[in-house]
Amino acid sequence: MSENEIEILDFEQNQEEELIEGIEGIEESKLLQSIWLRPKDTLRYILKKCPDKYITQLLIIGGAVSALGNALDGAPLFDLGPWFSLVVIVIIGAILGPLANMVFAAILSMVGRWIGGKGNYSRTLTIVAWSMVPNIAGVVLLFFQIGFFGPYFTFYSGDIEIVVLGLTKSEMILYLLAFLSIVVSIWAAVLLVIGLSLAHNFGIGKAILNLVIPVLIIVIPIGIFAFIMGDLFNTF
């Protein structure tokens, strides 16, 4: 056996030992509950014991929820009416969302290995899927928004204003829901960072870098392209 093969075996053994640590008390039947209270231990357990658990369901539901959230800020799709548009967008999100997240996981895996990580695509996809749990749970907020404001956020014209802040009751509720949505998104990002550190066996700092680099790679070119196109359209 060569020296390189021995090093690989030693790394895999150390990685397995690290994943085993801290998973006592985690139950496979209660992963959706423990992910909130013991996120790091739960993700360790998932990577070690059941890396394929709920992956397909989380990717599909997460894609649908993400599409629903984006749809609430837009106009009705193709003038089909708000409710029918939401249904169509959710179906599209459930189909295209998993594909987008699979591509995202592939990029994260590649960047993670580039900066010294040892994880692979399969482990990274598991982390991406499970990091969507907070956003999926946040669908309750979206349903409340739809029920209170309608399919697109329309304030009630007859609300009583809060004199001190100069805000209507509907605006106060909307801002509260927006704040809770931000908290949910932050928690999802925290889960993703923790998971990447476990999947690639590196520290939180590198895990954050692993997440930031792909975002910059995607966001900056899109921003430059949008700026150029906007400038071109303004010239006509």
Side-chain angles (χ1 to χ4, degrees), residues 18-151:
E18 286 191 11
L19 287 177
I20 292 173
E21 293 177 1
I23 65 176
E24 296 83 1
I26 302 296
E27 301 178 24
E28 186 171 343
S29 61
K30 298 181 179 179
L31 295 176
L32 293 173
Q33 292 94 326
S34 61
I35 193 74
W36 297 91
L37 303 175
R38 297 174 59 185
K40 190 171 184 178
D41 295 340
T42 301
L43 291 174
R44 271 202 186 104
Y45 182 97
I46 293 168
L47 288 173
K48 171 62 180 176
K49 299 288 188 180
C50 50
D52 297 326
K53 186 79 171 181
Y54 300 143
I55 297 301
T56 302
Q57 295 91 323
L58 290 173
L59 289 174
I60 292 174
I61 298 173
V65 169
S66 178
L68 176 62
N70 293 331
L72 292 176
D73 293 326
L77 182 66
F78 304 129
D79 297 325
L80 297 176
W83 294 108
F84 187 78
S85 295
L86 289 182
V87 172
V88 173
I89 289 172
V90 166
I91 293 174
I92 293 175
I95 297 173
L96 298 183
L99 297 177
N101 281 294
M102 290 169 69
V103 172
F104 182 53
I107 295 173
L108 286 176
S109 177
M110 180 182 64
V111 172
R113 295 182 68 84
W114 177 58
I115 61 177
K118 304 299 181 181
N120 55 31
Y121 168 74
S122 178
R123 293 163 67 87
T124 306
L125 182 62
T126 296
I127 295 304
V128 169
W130 277 92
S131 70
M132 301 174 73
V133 169
N135 289 327
I136 292 174
V139 75
V140 175
L141 301 176
L142 295 179
F143 286 148
F144 186 85
Q145 290 171 348
I146 293 173
F148 192 83
F149 296 110

